[in-house]
Amino acid sequence: MTSWDWLKIETARQKVATLPSVVESLLRYGTTSQELPKEAATIPLRPGRDARVLEIKEHPPKVGLQKREGQIRLLHDLGNIEMQAMELAVRTLIEFPEVPKVFREELAEIALDEARHFALCLDGLEELGSQWGALPVHCSLWDAVADEPEVSRGDFLGRIMLVHRYMEATGLDAGEKILMRLDSVVGVKLARSIVDTIVQEEIGHVSFGSRWYRTVCAQNGIDPHEHFAKAYPEILRRVPRTEKPALRLRELAGFDAFENQVVLETLSKTDFSRPRPALLPD
């Protein structure tokens, strides 16, 4: 199976089960564009789904977490995020064959982590008496990468910034918020266990992005603070997120004081009431 064929798989469980062989195949080719097939042109506009895909604004209203339906919605939404995360990892492995081998190996491990997180959500849904596909999903994370501006498309540093230092970092913000909400609800042990596992391990994924962000900046003579201060506001305008930053988790994931200050100041100055793309879910 080719990696682009894997992206087109619709069945969730099949996608999880076949991921190890796909990343192993991608790693086996080496690190030069000559050694890896030119697959980028065949990446689908959107990956395969066995659930109805709707824009976020078209999703039904959320239900409180004290209700089983609310916990089902939470795990379904989280599963949707984790599935896109593993797909984006594969996309990066396809589109950036020339980057350091160790980066690709570490990213492959992250893809497998995301698949395991997705499986936790699938199992949790079944334990709650539901199943994957019972609710609609979105493709906002995938679309954010697919819609990269022409000027930054194919930019390795930009991909690290967008996926690992923005989208995954805002996932930490959302995760902290969810855990705080779950702490005030009785009878949500299953959901809390799954969310806690994901949040704790996502710290390592964001840390991976922080480390490689600074490495790539150093290799290219780029000041990481100057780049971050310019890139963060641009991404926020294109892919808005409004959660309160989880500063402690961000620090654990490699954000320094300057970067956290940029995040705080940019959020405080951004008018989110202006027309903008649909927000990703909490």
Side-chain angles (χ1 to χ4, degrees):
M1 178 190 299
T2 64
S3 51
W4 61 93
D5 285 335
W6 178 84
L7 287 169
K8 295 174 184 177
I9 291 175
E10 295 183 353
T11 307
R13 293 283 188 183
Q14 182 184 2
K15 208 158 211 171
V16 170
T18 53
L19 178 63
S21 63
V22 169
V23 295
E24 180 184 359
S25 177
L26 281 167
L27 292 178
R28 192 182 304 131
Y29 285 109
T31 59
T32 67
S33 56
Q34 289 76 24
E35 292 171 331
L36 193 69
K38 293 291 187 179
E39 302 179 11
T42 60
I43 289 176
L45 180 62
R46 279 184 171 174
R49 290 291 180 271
D50 55 354
R52 187 167 56 139
V53 179
L54 295 176
E55 297 297 324
I56 293 174
K57 62 184 178 181
E58 299 174 339
H59 286 210
K62 294 184 178 181
V63 179
L65 292 176
Q66 70 276 9
K67 297 183 179 179
R68 184 180 65 88
E69 292 80 6
Q71 296 164 43
I72 289 172
R73 172 67 180 271
L74 171 62
L75 294 185
H76 206 281
D77 286 351
L78 282 175
N80 183 40
I81 295 294
E82 298 303 313
M83 178 167 58
Q84 290 179 76
M86 71 178 185
E87 291 166 338
L88 286 175
V90 168
R91 179 173 187 146
T92 294
L93 290 172
I94 293 171
E95 292 182 316
F96 295 92
E98 73 286 354
V99 302
K101 179 181 179 182
V102 65
F103 174 91
R104 293 171 57 79
E105 290 173 342
E106 291 178 14
L107 183 58
E109 288 300 318
I110 286 175
L112 296 175
D113 283 349
E114 307 292 13
R116 181 166 46 79
H117 295 169
F118 184 31
L120 285 175
C121 294
L122 296 179
D123 294 342
L125 285 169
E126 293 176 3
E127 191 166 337
L128 289 172
S130 186
Q131 61 183 356
W132 175 253
L135 296 167
V137 298
H138 66 81
C139 290
S140 294
L141 277 71
W142 179 270
D143 291 346
V145 171
D147 296 338
E148 284 175 331
E150 188 69 33
V151 67
S152 61
R153 195 166 300 159
D155 176 15
F156 181 44
L157 183 62
R159 177 64 60 84
I160 293 172
M161 177 70 194
L162 173 60
V163 174
H164 303 289
R165 303 217 75 206
Y166 182 78
M167 293 197 295
E168 287 198 320
T170 54
L172 292 180
D173 303 336
E176 182 179 73
K177 178 181 176 182
I178 293 169
L179 287 173
M180 291 174 64
R181 290 171 59 198
L182 289 170
D183 281 343
S184 63
V185 181
V186 176
V188 291
K189 184 177 180 180
L190 172 64
R192 199 192 192 293
S193 174
I194 293 172
V195 175
D196 188 60
T197 295
I198 292 174
V199 170
Q200 292 304 315
E201 296 187 5
E202 290 294 342
I203 292 173
H205 298 176
V206 180
S207 180
F208 158 86
S210 297
R211 176 164 44 83
W212 277 102
Y213 178 77
R214 295 190 175 92
T215 297
V216 175
C217 280
Q219 290 172 343
N220 291 275
I222 297 172
D223 185 309
H225 282 172
E226 289 183 6
H227 186 276
F228 188 90
K230 181 177 185 295
Y232 177 80
E234 292 175 350
I235 296 174
L236 181 67
R237 284 192 293 270
R238 189 165 68 86
V239 190
R241 293 289 300 195
T242 59
E243 294 90 355
K244 178 181 177 181
L247 297 180
R248 182 185 66 84
L249 296 183
R250 284 172 174 262
E251 288 173 3
L252 292 173
F255 278 69
D256 61 25
F258 175 85
E259 292 166 334
N260 275 338
Q261 190 61 33
V262 168
V263 171
L264 290 172
E265 290 182 359
T266 305
L267 285 170
S268 69
K269 296 175 182 177
T270 301
D271 181 4
F272 289 101
S273 66
R274 297 175 60 186
R276 60 192 188 277
L279 294 176
L280 305 183
D282 291 338

